[in-house]
Amino acid sequence: MSNTRVERDASTGRPILVAPHRRGRPMHTVPGKDGAELCPFCPGAEAQTPPECDAVRLDGSAPDTPGWLARAFPNRYPASPAHEVIAEGPVHTARPAALDATTVRHVLALWRRRIAQVESRPGIAHAFLFKNVGREAGASIAHNHSQLLGMSELPPRLALERELDRRHGGHVARELEHAERERRIVGATRRFALFAPRHPKLPLETWLAPFDPADEFDAASDDAELATLLVELFGAIDAALHAPPFNLWLHRIPGEAFHWHFECQPRTGFLAGLELGADAYINSLDGVDGARRLREARSR
Ligand SMILES: [Zn+2]
Ligand SMILES: [Zn+2]
């Protein structure tokens, strides 16, 4: 599908991905109607998606047949020429908290392979990885999945983070250091921490980052720790907020020294006039209280 194009927001210069055919997207998120028989991401429904680009299959099963544990295929309604879906686990469930750490490890391996493949294509500078959970967070299919969107330039938010890092030093390392001092750590392993930033933009904004700023997301990794911590994050959010819609995205800059991190944002409210019109946020729950809530929810 090639009728996508990038235009510029005349007022900010930011990219707008124009994709008119996305108006025709089906919604499979209506409660009670998202059963496996309707789900195009379930095993057995492979013919309902474009042919897969890659999958984790431990049983030697053939492409586009059941047997996969994580499966990547082009988005049927792409927002750019390289827009992929990664179905996460063969079990039909909409909540990432229901995934086990082994499945998340397979997903991480597939994310890494797809990022490398998409970013190797001409004209693509960045593959943005994100996850929408729940209709209010943008999900149109209620089967655990994530998306990878190839972009011709670094997304504006990442350009901003890089610029601030150049001027003031690494912001993620600084946040992590403060988080340890101020009890904003939600969970940690030897290599990674799950924590609230000092000043969350919205309630329960949570980051997951390696302690080592030089850690490379793209490098092959065993992923057991990372998978465990992601599962803890998903579980804590569901327990603290009764399975809310949320978004998760990966911030990394290909080929550059940048302290990569995931950011997770539960969608407890709406984006309103100040957020949309001023790029500024109103937050009613500070990071210390937010982290405590997630820690308590985790231990319940
Ligand atoms: Zn399904
Ligand atoms: Zn970031």
Side-chain angles (χ1 to χ4, degrees):
M1 209 118 18
S2 56
N3 63 338
T4 59
R5 63 183 198 277
V6 179
E7 298 288 359
R8 290 286 138 202
D9 173 354
S11 58
T12 63
R14 291 178 185 162
I16 295 174
L17 280 61
V18 180
H21 55 275
R22 282 178 64 80
R23 279 200 303 265
R25 276 187 313 163
M27 297 294 283
H28 287 283
T29 57
V30 183
K33 289 186 184 167
D34 59 348
E37 72 282 2
L38 287 177
C39 176
F41 293 177
C42 266
E46 287 81 4
Q48 292 188 45
T49 70
E52 74 190 42
C53 349
D54 194 357
V56 176
R57 297 174 177 276
L58 304 181
D59 62 354
S61 49
D64 297 319
T65 67
W68 52 270
L69 301 169
R71 178 172 181 262
F73 47 88
N75 192 311
R76 193 177 278 291
Y77 302 91
S80 90
H83 185 179
E84 296 186 359
V85 173
I86 295 100
E88 302 172 347
V91 178
H92 184 87
T93 160
R95 300 306 303 180
L99 296 173
D100 57 67
T102 306
T103 301
V104 175
R105 263 173 74 190
H106 296 317
V107 169
L108 282 161
L110 192 55
W111 281 351
R112 208 173 271 122
R113 297 211 295 257
R114 295 319 302 158
I115 287 171
Q117 209 288 326
V118 168
E119 286 180 354
S120 75
R121 297 184 206 170
I124 295 189
H126 186 83
F128 190 72
L129 179 80
F130 62 100
K131 196 167 162 55
N132 301 335
V133 178
R135 196 163 44 145
E136 298 85 347
S140 59
I141 306 266
H143 184 127
N144 270 316
H145 69 282
S146 38
Q147 301 183 59
L148 195 61
L149 188 74
M151 298 179 69
S152 56
E153 64 196 86
L154 195 65
R157 267 283 297 278
L158 276 164
L160 189 61
E161 290 194 13
R162 176 170 67 182
E163 184 52 35
L164 283 174
D165 278 4
R166 279 181 184 158
R167 253 188 278 157
H168 306 293
H171 71 284
V172 177
R174 203 166 47 242
E175 285 292 338
L176 245 173
E177 187 193 310
H178 280 277
E180 288 180 295
R181 242 186 286 147
E182 298 169 4
R183 289 189 51 77
R184 279 182 286 102
I185 303 275
V186 177
T189 64
R190 193 180 53 84
R191 279 175 63 201
F192 304 101
L194 189 61
F195 61 101
R198 237 174 315 171
H199 305 296
K201 291 180 275 303
L202 295 167
L204 295 168
E205 176 182 347
T206 307
W207 296 6
L208 194 170
F211 286 106
D212 178 4
D215 190 282
E216 286 182 43
F217 182 84
D218 300 3
S221 164
D222 137 345
D223 285 335
E225 286 185 32
L226 187 49
T228 304
L229 217 46
L230 280 169
V231 168
E232 280 187 24
L233 167 65
F234 299 146
I237 287 175
D238 276 15
L241 292 165
H242 309 290
F246 71 88
N247 301 101
L248 175 85
W249 55 84
L250 174 63
H251 275 169
R252 56 179 269 290
I253 300 183
E256 285 184 30
F258 179 78
H259 196 157
W260 69 263
H261 53 285
F262 285 100
E263 297 181 8
C264 180
Q265 184 59 67
R267 302 291 294 272
T268 54
F270 295 103
L271 293 182
L274 191 77
E275 290 80 12
L276 294 173
D279 283 344
Y281 292 84
I282 302 175
N283 184 10
S284 54
L285 187 69
D286 75 27
V288 172
D289 290 341
R292 185 187 309 121
R293 256 178 90 172
L294 289 178
R295 272 198 309 270
E296 286 171 3
R298 257 186 72 205
S299 58
R300 275 204 293 271

